[in-house]
Amino acid sequence: MKHDAVGVVDFGGQYAHLIATKIRSAKVYAEIVDPNAPFEVFKRFKGIVLSGSPALSSKDEASDYNHEIFELDVPILGICFGHQEIAKHYGGKVVHGGREWGYAIFRRLIEHPLFEGWQVEEQVFMSHYDSVVEVGEGFVEAGRSRVGEGVDEQRFSAIVNDKAKRYGVQFHPEVDDTVKGDLLLANFAIKICGCKPTWTMENFLETKFQETKEFVKDKPVFLLASGGVDSTVTALIVAKALGGDKLHLLHIDNGLMRKDESKGILKQLEALGLSKNLHFVDAGEEFLRGLEGVFDPEQKRQIIGDTFVEVLKKEAQKFLSHEYFLAQGTIYPDTIETGGTKRAHTIKTHHNRVPLIRKMIEEGRVIEPLRELYKSEVRQLGALLGLSREMLRRHPFPGPGLGVRCLCARGDEKADDEVALSFAEVCKKYGVQGFVLPLKSVGVKADMRSYEFAGVLWGVRYEELDEGVVGAILKEAEGINRCAYLLYPEKPSEHAVRQAYVTKERLDMLREADSIVDQVLRIHGIYDAIWQCPVVALPLVFGGMGLETVVIRPVQSSRGMTARAYRFSEAVLLDLKARLSSLDFVSAILVDLTSKPPGTIEWE
């Protein structure tokens, strides 16, 4: 069946595929298109969406795309960078300034089909350095935005030109934090572009069965089975497409797993009928040898990814000929955060995107049926394939495991004095006390990687630090991409970084803390309300007591490309504080309050 389609032009923004996903959730087929594709490619679509980008429109970066797009007699919607490019192309002005991160309030100024179903004010999600400050002839200012109470509104957060069929929004309707963003994209695809809603996830699954058969033919397939929903759904797709005889599963215990995790994964795969060619290897010592003395997060990820491939090759040789395919449960966030498209900025390298894997992809030996999907869509497929609710709701766990939740240090790290002074002043402005940790974490700002300091807030009750306050502090504070609340001790004391790397001893301590947090979430009935809750170990000692500062990072998300900090109740906080502070290695406890962006979900 031929479906009406919308083309999504991917300028390398972190959320380009999420635009396509949201349009497909409205049952309209959406396809990712390269900005430099020939004009004939764009003519196939009933509408076009221009994505965000790590590039700066104000400085004419990434301006080498096919500008014939603007000659199309179909509706075009620009998002963030795309919004700025539309404004600029039609005589408007874009400047470098007016940056906004995360949660914001959009105030609609006009009635329009694009905003049908929207209230006058709605919550939206921002992530930009550039802003539109003027529009050309025929354009109408459709809305303005502000990032908090008492903050001046920014103009031209939405623009429309019905005669030219050109529309732009500075915010990101594709992310879940824009509460009615799904509706806006559906309005664009169906009401403005006139597309018929005929596409479904069942169509997608049947297509993947057929593609897998045609791609693999009669060769065997080897799959790294982590036990997560992504790799499990991939295994079921391959098994149903090819039959169980051709699929070999390998579960590697890399020594970076959570407490008793490998035992549970093997039982789970057996229960799903995937045990015929199931292989297991304990390679913990091999991974730890590679990580010895390494503190840089990107280097750690590369080492873990390379070691996975080496172990896989060694094990595959025992059971298969050299002619086999590798199947991976790669989903879109893994690809885009590793700079997986031409214009995307590398945020962090995922283990399934290290150079050795990329080489196999170039050789045409890798199957990734989920590579264009997000976690929420994978869960939909899992439900269609019969996975249990418990399996579908399992918290995501990164491929590098606790290796990227165990931060490392040389022992001489210090906070930048200028950043620390500025952060304290910004905090004071909002009635909070704050200090800067002498350790950095990975973040994402305007689709670009940041590696900046983390700030700690204290002096007020946890519940007083609402999303607006934290967002405003992160917007104004230079050199900071993350804020956490000091849960224990109540007041900061002298603290220092100790030299520490990834070792079995540190991992065992982190496993214990992680297990306690997991238990508390389940006891209080909030495990399913939280999308993911990384527990991070920092080699940071307060008051000369203990060995590790434990960070709890609860987030709400459905796709992982954006996230909001989950807010604990007082009862949960007290329980976490009591249980964790009783561990003799715990020096301090922090609760991460950061949205994504500017902080990634994982600290590394």
Side-chain angles (χ1 to χ4, degrees), residues 322-342:
H322 68 282
E323 293 186 348
Y324 66 89
F325 285 86
L326 172 65
Q328 295 195 132
T330 308
I331 60 176
Y332 187 66
D334 301 346
T335 303
I336 195 64
E337 289 190 339
T338 314
T341 63
K342 186 170 76 171

Side-chain angles (χ1 to χ4, degrees), residues 259-394:
K259 194 173 183 180
D260 298 326
E261 190 159 27
S262 286
K263 292 178 185 176
I265 289 169
L266 294 173
K267 287 181 181 178
Q268 167 192 296
L269 293 172
E270 289 172 2
L272 289 169
L274 295 170
S275 60
K276 184 170 184 179
N277 294 313
L278 175 59
H279 314 290
F280 169 75
V281 59
D282 184 347
E285 290 186 8
E286 194 168 340
F287 279 84
L288 288 177
R289 277 198 304 272
L291 293 169
E292 190 175 344
V294 178
F295 76 95
D296 178 78
E298 266 296 282
Q299 190 180 356
K300 284 162 62 177
R301 284 179 171 271
Q302 290 280 356
I303 290 167
I304 293 168
D306 288 345
T307 308
F308 263 121
V309 177
E310 291 303 322
V311 173
L312 178 145
K313 283 182 175 180
K314 189 170 25 177
E315 294 300 311
Q317 287 172 2
K318 296 178 182 177
F319 313 107
L320 303 172
S321 71
H322 68 282
E323 293 186 348
Y324 66 89
F325 285 86
L326 172 65
Q328 295 195 132
T330 308
I331 60 176
Y332 187 66
D334 301 346
T335 303
I336 195 64
E337 289 190 339
T338 314
T341 63
K342 186 170 76 171
R343 297 167 186 257
H345 198 270
T346 298
I347 307 303
K348 54 192 176 185
T349 301
H350 287 255
H351 71 290
N352 47 25
R353 276 296 178 270
V354 295
L356 287 170
I357 293 290
R358 289 186 173 185
K359 184 174 184 293
M360 292 183 71
I361 292 171
E362 290 168 6
E363 294 170 349
R365 296 176 53 207
V366 178
I367 307 166
E368 295 177 319
L370 312 179
R371 69 186 305 274
E372 293 186 354
L373 302 186
Y374 292 84
K375 188 71 70 175
S376 58
E377 292 176 304
V378 176
R379 285 172 170 158
Q380 289 178 47
L381 286 185
L384 290 174
L385 291 165
L387 287 184
S388 67
R389 184 179 182 280
E390 182 182 1
M391 177 63 211
L392 293 173
R393 298 306 303 170
R394 181 178 183 262

Side-chain angles (χ1 to χ4, degrees), residues 132-196:
V132 175
V133 294
E134 292 178 16
V135 292
E137 184 178 349
F139 280 85
V140 175
E141 183 181 16
R144 301 178 180 182
S145 62
R146 66 179 187 276
V147 294
E149 295 298 329
V151 179
D152 291 341
E153 286 187 323
Q154 288 207 41
R155 296 192 62 188
F156 304 111
S157 289
I159 57 177
V160 303
N161 184 332
D162 287 318
K163 184 177 180 181
K165 302 178 188 174
R166 301 296 181 255
Y167 312 90
V169 292
Q170 181 60 71
F171 56 86
H172 288 271
E174 70 273 26
V175 306
D176 297 321
D177 301 277
T178 296
V179 174
K180 292 185 179 176
D182 298 34
L183 185 56
L184 184 147
L185 290 170
N187 287 341
F188 176 73
I190 297 170
K191 297 181 183 299
I192 294 178
C193 299
C195 295
K196 295 182 178 64

